[in-house]
Amino acid sequence: MKQDNIRNVAIIAHVDHGKTTMVDRLLGAAGAFRENQRVEERVLDSNDQERERGITILSKNIAIQYGDVKINVIDTPGHADFGGEVERVLNMADGALLIVDAFEGPMPQTRFVLRHALALGLRIVVVVNKVDRPGARPDEVVDAVFDLMVELDASDEQLDFPVVFASAMNGYARYAADDGNMDMVPLLDTIVQQVPAPDCEPSGPVALQICTVDHSSFVGRIGVGRLYSGTMHKGEQVLVIKNDGTRYNTQIKQVFTFQELGKVEVEAAGAGDIIAVVGVDDADIGDMVTNRDNPIRLDPIEVEQPTMSVVFEPSTSPLVGREGDIVGGRQLRERLMKEAESNISMRITDAPNSTGMEVAGRGVLHLSVLMETMRREGFEFQVGRPQVIIKSDGHGGKLEPIEEATVDVPSEYAGKAIEVFGTAGGEMVDMFQRGEDTHLMFKIPSRGTMGLRTRLLNATRGEAIMFHRFSEYGPYRGEFGRRKNGLMIAKENEKSVAYALDTLQQRGRLFVGPGVDCYEGMIVGESAKEGDMVVNVARTKSLGNQRSSSADKAISLTPPISFTLEEALEYIEDDELVEVTPQSIRLRKRLLSAIDRKKANKS
């Protein structure tokens, strides 16, 4: 039976194609904000890191009341590292708005999320966004989307997709790119007409599959999912069927439905709606909450496995405890196990041969977002170089994750870009001209993508635009692309002095400025030559009783290089660590003592 007064629709797109801004405009068009209400841009990107990075990290649910129809909208991340969020929330939807930039067209992440949406049989509505952008080519982009859907084996029904042209920034949607309409009504009408109403059994036994887990410090875990059949009542006795097949009985304490930007508590929620429930204490992704007497079990939610791992350890730095409140190994383990409960796309286990925890995720950005969250919570810890997860091919060979990378670069720098990818194990699979730019496609090992963006931007004078996403596991491609330059390593525990740094900056690039606490084994710069060197950052000028001709000469220091978490993780080698504190990101050697490092190198 169709619930004609409900539509469940996900918004999918490549990063920065305008999903979250589009949601802002839909909320405004449906009257979710008062006329005099001050509304921030990208209102759904409520997480601090989402606002700072300008990307969506966590999927969000909102609801728009349009006439008699309630439209549940699921905003999803656009970056490939957060694909686990996309894969599971698509299970709640019957249709998807595929937002594509009118200039850039379909990009790598468009392919990734579209493949999952088509496999689930969702009705696709193509929204060509940014039609007001200079150089926009909306008709060509629609053709490119059609070609992509054919390539991804879309059904004939899915290929007959409706198209809406829009400018989310200017708040309008149109049936034709130049028809002059200046509101969002065409898009809302298209959703109601083209996205199918949820097919469900309102009078059947209760069946809710949990797709997202929220957490509240007041009520604990909150399971969010789509109610496939029945009516869920507050206080109802239900059966929970876990992913591993175990079962137990519990009582639903609270039921919520989504309304505009928040949740509202209700006494009962009907089939077809997206709801949230409190009472399943260990709610997990894929769990079924169903009728005790007539249980229903749906297919488990499968999420692609992580491809990269890193080991979190308690900090062993001489400066430990100066900046962070939480430094113990036990607290670090508890925090990571709590993360494992709600983050289905991460795999967190005790690290073999180590006091730390091994955290496996989709990529360096995925892992660094967790680190950034923890350092803001007051944690102090250290992490090693990210390692790709190697698999066996069953015949004694090794398989490693291979990424598909696309690069748009001015034609004059295309040769430089190809050279950079070649040194990182990349293999070019396609190349064509697009206006004044050259579009390049590569297959490259995940190992090769670490630090690649920085090298590419340096080689192309900041002109290249690169995206990459996991493609498949392929044959191991051997060793390549190690760092050629040596490092400057602090000799002892001292504050850095401008006089010493002035001498050192002539021999390479510095990572610290004057007056910074340093310790033996801390990396303070990069040498211009190969081979590490131990340096004294606290050396001061020896003073005699005669006035020197250069005594009053001002010291001029080049600003030190500061690393973001992702850059630090991509920079270090296997014998080095990144020390993460609420205030600092430091690089250090795993063995702090120069004598210990020499012994290790000999052995």
Side-chain angles (χ1 to χ4, degrees):
M1 181 178 169
K2 297 280 187 184
Q3 289 287 74
D4 288 327
N5 62 336
I6 294 176
R7 299 291 185 276
N8 297 321
V9 61
I11 295 193
I12 57 177
H14 185 83
V15 64
D16 205 30
H17 278 198
K19 296 180 307 302
T20 308
T21 307
M22 186 70 73
V23 174
D24 286 1
R25 298 297 175 261
L26 290 174
L27 281 163
F33 308 122
R34 298 189 312 274
E35 283 187 28
N36 63 343
Q37 185 173 348
R38 180 181 174 274
V39 182
E40 292 196 47
E41 286 294 311
R42 304 193 328 275
V43 67
L44 282 196
D45 284 349
S46 52
N47 179 304
D48 287 344
Q49 288 195 65
E50 291 180 317
R51 291 204 161 276
E52 288 165 21
R53 294 171 186 265
I55 59 174
T56 301
I57 294 172
L58 303 168
S59 66
K60 320 283 194 316
N61 292 71
I62 62 161
I64 297 167
Q65 191 68 38
Y66 182 60
D68 298 331
V69 179
K70 178 185 181 183
I71 304 173
N72 285 311
V73 180
I74 308 156
D75 183 26
T76 64
H79 199 286
D81 279 21
F82 306 104
E85 287 276 328
V86 181
E87 292 164 39
R88 65 171 184 254
V89 298
L90 287 180
N91 286 276
M92 295 192 278
D94 298 293
L97 300 185
L98 175 65
I99 299 181
V100 186
D101 189 299
F103 174 76
E104 293 181 351
M107 297 292 277
Q109 182 68 358
T110 314
R111 172 188 295 268
F112 171 81
V113 291
L114 186 56
R115 178 187 288 121
H116 286 284
L118 293 172
L120 290 167
L122 302 188
R123 174 67 164 157
I124 306 296
V125 175
V126 175
V127 182
V128 181
N129 193 25
K130 305 187 185 181
V131 292
D132 57 327
R133 180 177 173 177
R137 44 192 190 95
D139 295 332
E140 290 175 46
V141 166
V142 172
D143 292 341
V145 172
F146 183 85
D147 293 342
L148 176 60
M149 290 177 72
V150 170
E151 194 181 322
L152 296 176
D153 298 325
S155 66
D156 291 344
E157 187 181 354
Q158 287 171 326
L159 286 172
D160 185 23
F161 53 82
V163 180
V164 177
F165 301 92
S167 169
M169 189 61 70
N170 293 312
Y172 64 75
R174 298 169 175 174
Y175 293 115
D178 54 358
D179 69 10
N181 183 65
M182 293 305 292
D183 59 32
M184 298 299 293
V185 170
L187 180 54
L188 290 165
D189 284 343
T190 303
I191 292 171
V192 172
Q193 292 161 15
Q194 297 289 341
V195 174
D199 203 352
C200 53
E201 292 183 43
S203 57
V206 166
L208 167 72
Q209 186 169 39
I210 294 174
C211 295
T212 306
V213 175
D214 205 349
H215 190 272
S216 162
S217 53
F218 299 105
V219 297
R221 306 192 78 171
I222 303 171
V224 179
R226 176 170 162 178
L227 190 58
Y228 286 90
S229 75
T231 301
M232 182 74 77
H233 294 87
K234 180 180 178 179
E236 185 165 349
Q237 300 292 326
V238 293
L239 173 70
V240 177
I241 306 176
K242 304 288 289 179
N243 281 326
D244 59 7
T246 57
R247 303 178 174 211
Y248 65 88
N249 294 326
T250 189
Q251 182 182 27
I252 299 298
K253 296 170 185 170
Q254 289 175 289
V255 179
F256 297 90
T257 60
F258 291 89
Q259 181 176 312
E260 295 176 352
L261 288 168
K263 294 191 282 279
V264 290
E265 187 173 354
V266 294
E267 289 298 314
D273 207 352
I274 294 175
I275 68 169
V277 295
V278 175
V280 185
D281 294 335
D282 60 346
D284 213 344
I285 309 299
D287 287 357
M288 288 298 303
V289 180
T290 185
N291 185 275
R292 287 184 176 186
D293 302 322
N294 190 8
I296 294 175
R297 189 161 188 188
L298 301 176
D299 293 334
I301 297 173
E302 291 186 13
V303 176
E304 287 184 13
Q305 292 302 304
T307 58
M308 194 172 283
S309 69
V310 71
V311 174
F312 284 63
E313 299 173 336
S315 179
T316 55
S317 159
L319 303 179
V320 66
R322 290 197 190 178
E323 297 175 2
D325 303 323
I326 313 170
V327 298
R330 179 179 57 80
Q331 293 103 316
L332 183 67
R333 186 179 191 281
E334 286 174 359
R335 173 63 181 83
L336 289 171
M337 295 314 290
K338 178 183 169 186
E339 184 70 22
E341 292 176 3
S342 60
N343 197 333
I344 188 176
S345 51
M346 276 188 169
R347 193 175 65 228
I348 300 175
T349 54
D350 289 303
N353 310 320
S354 168
T355 56
M357 301 288 291
E358 184 175 351
V359 179
R362 288 294 186 85
V364 174
L365 178 62
H366 193 198
L367 296 167
S368 72
V369 164
L370 172 60
M371 295 175 200
E372 183 66 38
T373 303
M374 289 175 61
R375 72 186 283 231
R376 293 181 185 204
E377 292 170 1
F379 282 88
E380 200 170 309
F381 53 92
Q382 62 193 30
V383 290
R385 177 181 168 87
Q387 304 290 336
V388 296
I389 297 171
I390 304 292
K391 292 184 178 179
S392 169
D393 63 1
H395 306 288
K398 293 195 293 185
L399 297 175
E400 68 172 332
I402 305 293
E403 309 247 340
E404 181 185 277
T406 65
V407 179
D408 285 304
V409 65
S411 299
E412 63 195 279
Y413 295 120
K416 293 272 189 189
I418 293 169
E419 185 182 331
V420 169
F421 271 84
T423 60
E427 182 184 301
M428 191 165 71
V429 294
D430 196 7
M431 175 179 180
F432 57 85
Q433 202 73 14
R434 182 189 283 169
E436 296 180 0
D437 289 351
T438 300
H439 183 79
L440 304 166
M441 288 186 68
F442 298 89
K443 286 291 179 75
I444 180 170
S446 294
R447 290 179 296 138
T449 62
M450 288 197 281
L452 182 67
R453 191 181 303 275
T454 304
R455 297 204 301 277
L456 184 65
L457 289 173
N458 288 340
T460 62
R461 299 191 179 181
E463 296 278 355
I465 300 171
M466 182 185 90
F467 297 102
H468 58 88
R469 65 166 192 88
F470 172 72
S471 177
E472 75 265 330
Y473 267 83
Y476 189 76
R477 300 200 178 174
E479 295 300 320
F480 56 78
R482 289 292 180 185
R483 189 178 61 221
K484 292 186 175 68
N485 297 53
L487 298 172
M488 299 182 198
I489 303 163
K491 181 180 182 181
E492 55 197 12
N493 301 2
E494 292 277 6
K495 270 192 191 311
S496 56
V497 174
Y499 179 79
L501 297 180
D502 185 37
T503 309
L504 293 175
Q505 72 178 359
Q506 299 166 27
R507 308 181 68 176
R509 305 184 303 164
L510 294 175
F511 300 161
V512 297
V516 174
D517 284 314
C518 299
Y519 54 84
E520 182 185 11
M522 178 173 158
I523 298 168
V524 293
E526 180 182 272
S527 168
K529 298 180 180 179
E530 289 187 28
D532 295 345
M533 60 182 188
V534 177
V535 299
N536 182 359
V537 292
R539 188 164 69 91
T540 55
K541 185 173 184 180
S542 53
L543 301 174
N545 60 358
Q546 291 178 320
R547 186 180 176 93
S548 164
S549 60
S550 61
D552 298 326
K553 180 184 170 188
I555 292 174
S556 176
L557 291 176
T558 306
I561 294 168
S562 62
F563 288 91
T564 64
L565 258 173
E566 294 101 270
E567 290 166 348
L569 291 168
E570 291 175 340
Y571 183 82
I572 61 171
E573 297 289 351
D574 292 337
D575 65 335
E576 294 154 13
L577 296 168
V578 178
E579 180 190 347
V580 183
T581 78
Q583 296 172 28
S584 310
I585 296 169
R586 304 186 186 99
L587 308 186
R588 53 162 284 186
K589 284 291 185 180
R590 195 175 283 276
L591 298 174
L592 296 178
S593 163
I595 297 169
D596 290 344
R597 292 197 297 275
K598 282 181 182 175
K599 287 180 182 175
N601 288 335
K602 284 181 181 177
S603 61

